[in-house]
Amino acid sequence: MKRTWTIIGVADVARSFKWYQSLFGQLETSPAHEYFGQILDTDGTVLLCLHRWGLHEHPSLASPNHAEPGNGLLLFFRVDDFDEALPRARALVTGLEEEPHMNPNTGTKEFAVRDPDGYYVMVSALNEN
């Protein structure tokens, strides 16, 4: 099995860590480091990595000022609790980027929000039910 570890640059790892855990309905825990954390599924699968901007000389994580954060990136998460995820998302943001709708390409419900760093986050139902 091969898996990707998507890593995004963030201003405050602890804040973003808490935000994503809330969005996914996970128990609140702390990231492993002040500069890096992994959001994990219940089976230990890495869902998303958060890395503080400007550390460790990673060229694409040098600074959010080099380009718009997330330009060319769409974080797309499929969840098995879509109906519960929607009110959690509404509690985290002042407004949704896209209201819930049926995606004709996937045949599933989805909505979109912006995370604390401005990344576009699409949440999609794992199945149509």
Side-chain angles (χ1 to χ4, degrees):
M1 177 61 64
K2 293 178 176 47
R3 302 205 185 268
T4 61
W5 280 15
T6 302
I7 302 172
I8 60 172
V10 299
D12 183 330
V13 172
R15 176 189 67 180
S16 293
F17 203 80
K18 182 178 179 178
W19 191 91
Y20 278 98
Q21 286 178 323
S22 294
L23 178 65
F24 298 142
Q26 297 174 326
L27 294 176
E28 188 175 325
T29 61
S30 297
H33 307 279
E34 68 177 24
Y35 58 86
F36 183 80
Q38 294 178 324
I39 303 295
L40 304 175
D41 202 350
T42 55
D43 66 359
T45 299
V46 175
L47 300 174
L48 182 66
C49 300
L50 309 169
H51 196 293
R52 193 169 70 208
W53 286 110
L55 293 182
H56 305 122
E57 300 178 18
H58 298 304
S60 62
L61 296 175
S63 169
N65 300 321
H66 291 189
E68 288 292 318
N71 186 35
L73 175 71
L74 171 63
L75 295 173
F76 191 97
F77 295 100
R78 303 211 53 203
V79 298
D80 57 6
D81 65 344
F82 183 87
D83 292 333
E84 291 80 19
L86 181 57
R88 291 193 306 258
R90 288 192 191 280
L92 292 169
V93 297
T94 56
L96 300 182
E97 293 292 314
E98 288 186 41
E99 288 293 327
H101 62 279
M102 183 66 71
N103 181 326
N105 297 316
T106 62
T108 58
K109 295 182 289 187
E110 63 186 30
F111 65 86
V113 295
R114 292 273 181 179
D115 83 354
D117 290 276
Y119 291 100
Y120 196 88
V121 179
M122 182 66 71
V123 178
S124 175
L126 190 56
N127 57 43
E128 59 188 288
N129 296 327

